[in-house]
Amino acid sequence: MQIELIKGHGSGNDFLLIDEITNSYSFSESERAGLAALLCDRNSDLGADGILFIMKSDQADGRMRVFNADGSEASMCGNGLRLVARYVCEMKGLNEAIIETMRADLKVSKQEDIYPNVTTYQVEISPVSFHLADLPLNINEPNLLNKKIPELSQELTFSALAVPNPHLISIVETEQLKSGVQKEISEKVNNPNELFPDGVNVSFVKSLDAGSIYVNTFERGVGFTNACGTAMSASSLVTCLQGLNSVEEIINVYNNGGRVQCVVHENDENYSIDLIGNATYMYQAQINVDLERETFSVRSKEEFTEQITYEKLQADAQEYLQKAGL
Ligand SMILES: N[C@H](CCC[C@H](N)C(=O)O)C(=O)O
């Protein structure tokens, strides 16, 4: 089958966007998973952290389904939703829209550039739950906020929440970031285990200057990525719960792919997070895929020029992190 796609990224978390609104593709569930595993392979001519299927919606301006590089589907993707927001808004000539996701119809909007000439969108991250059954996390507690999980670590404390995809977050110091402990814990909870039967995204967070944090994430279904939008949003919320940052204030979230901003909103113990950051296109391509034989070829590939400007944002962020000793 012939497929057109755009490759883009949100803070270095890169995705293949497949437009099912304009094109008359009709993928079965197994084809969606198979395409993700085949096209996201970093040893192939494409490679990405996941695929974003952009689909018609009966109730919103568009619909996003996100598949990780291992072919598993996730309920939400913050960096990916900014790319889908851009694609749908530009297609329909909108500055704001509603995008249907697995668990909620979410508000998205075009924003002022977060960095000169870097196309920027804001997306709503919601719903948020601290109920452990919503991850799921199998421990006999109503929630897990800044507590130990002895099976994973004797010294680290963790918070667990679903936004709505599952996140396990630990606020750490530089030495823990530089040790191999995050990889160890992440691989343990993303291979068959009793604690997290569906796996979990694992983030280590370091508080920097006031209103600034650094987040490093091992993503369920992918591995370490440059950034994870839902993880950066969930981490921002956890830093507010721990008194390191404040709700309704901009939090600069640094990551290995650059910088985004989060604003945590609280309404009677209900939280949502606004995630603001780049939505950068890298190239568009036409490919021929033979899923039976698990092969594909790139028929054409045309680069965009936006990445050149994005790399200036990324260099600034990396300079800041170097000064912070990261
Ligand atoms: N790996 C995640 C999905 C992608 C989320 C991430 N790329 C983001 O930007 O939020 C999961 O399985 O829950």
Side-chain angles (χ1 to χ4, degrees):
M1 71 178 87
Q2 184 169 316
I3 296 178
E4 300 197 353
L5 56 86
I6 285 178
K7 180 161 186 188
H9 72 83
S11 211
N13 190 202
D14 59 355
F15 297 95
L16 305 174
L17 282 69
I18 295 180
D19 170 359
E20 297 184 52
I21 297 176
T22 316
N23 299 294
S24 55
Y25 303 132
S26 60
F27 302 121
S28 68
E29 290 306 289
S30 65
E31 284 172 336
R32 291 184 192 282
L35 280 168
L38 181 66
L39 306 184
C40 294
D41 180 352
R42 293 283 181 195
N43 298 316
S44 77
D45 290 340
L46 294 176
D49 291 332
I51 289 189
L52 305 170
F53 293 100
I54 304 173
M55 306 163 77
K56 285 191 181 72
S57 167
D58 302 333
Q59 63 207 51
D61 297 297
R63 178 184 175 200
M64 172 182 79
R65 288 184 70 181
V66 49
F67 283 72
N68 289 312
D70 71 349
S72 62
E73 182 174 14
S75 54
M76 186 42 195
C77 178
N79 288 322
L81 185 55
R82 296 201 308 276
L83 289 162
V84 173
R86 171 179 177 180
Y87 191 86
V88 170
C89 285
E90 291 182 351
M91 173 196 284
K92 300 193 167 185
L94 303 169
N95 280 322
E96 56 186 51
I98 303 284
I99 304 294
E100 177 187 348
T101 66
M102 191 186 286
R103 295 284 313 285
D105 298 343
L106 300 174
K107 286 194 290 296
V108 302
S109 58
K110 183 152 176 35
Q111 293 295 313
E112 290 297 306
D113 294 353
I114 191 171
Y115 192 90
N117 302 313
V118 171
T119 301
T120 302
Y121 277 78
Q122 171 177 306
V123 299
E124 177 190 359
I125 306 292
S126 170
V128 173
S129 169
F130 295 98
H131 298 301
L132 300 187
D134 290 335
L135 277 83
L137 166 52
N138 295 331
I139 56 173
N140 195 11
E141 298 287 342
N143 56 43
L144 185 89
L145 291 174
N146 199 21
K147 292 269 190 330
K148 289 190 174 181
I149 305 180
E151 298 90 318
L152 299 182
S153 167
Q154 293 307 314
E155 60 270 344
L156 296 179
T157 59
F158 296 94
S159 297
L161 64 163
V163 296
N165 61 334
H167 289 275
L168 183 67
I169 291 165
S170 185
I171 297 179
V172 298
E173 289 306 328
T174 303
E175 65 188 284
Q176 282 124 351
L177 274 168
K178 300 205 175 214
S179 75
V181 68
Q182 182 178 10
K183 184 171 188 293
E184 237 172 82
I185 291 171
S186 302
E187 287 173 347
K188 191 168 186 178
V189 296
N190 283 292
N191 282 298
N193 70 103
E194 298 291 311
L195 281 170
F196 293 93
D198 290 352
V200 64
N201 301 285
V202 181
S203 295
F204 275 19
V205 180
K206 175 158 173 49
S207 195
L208 301 169
D209 301 319
S212 293
I213 61 175
Y214 168 76
V215 180
N216 190 45
T217 304
F218 182 104
E219 283 199 43
R220 175 181 65 169
V222 193
F224 280 108
T225 58
N226 286 317
C228 174
T230 47
M232 294 188 284
S233 303
S235 299
S236 297
L237 169 49
V238 167
T239 64
C240 290
L241 295 177
Q242 295 195 16
L244 297 167
N245 286 306
S246 308
V247 298
E248 303 304 338
E249 291 188 8
I250 288 179
I251 300 169
N252 282 294
V253 186
Y254 290 85
N255 51 75
N256 294 339
R259 170 178 61 88
V260 301
Q261 294 180 328
C262 288
V263 180
V264 178
H265 302 294
E266 180 194 355
N267 191 350
D268 292 339
E269 299 266 302
N270 282 319
Y271 292 94
S272 71
I273 305 110
D274 284 337
L275 170 66
I276 303 118
N278 74 301
T280 300
Y281 287 167
M282 299 163 78
Y283 59 74
Q284 61 187 5
Q286 284 188 336
I287 62 174
N288 275 333
V289 185
D290 180 338
L291 274 173
E292 293 287 307
R293 296 181 32 234
E294 294 182 355
T295 60
F296 74 94
S297 59
V298 177
R299 290 183 56 241
S300 70
K301 194 187 254 189
E302 186 192 336
E303 300 286 336
F304 292 98
T305 58
E306 306 172 16
Q307 182 61 10
I308 298 163
T309 313
Y310 183 78
E311 282 168 1
K312 294 177 184 155
L313 177 157
Q314 192 173 16
D316 277 10
Q318 278 166 355
E319 189 182 340
Y320 176 86
L321 288 175
Q322 263 157 16
K323 283 184 184 143
L326 291 174

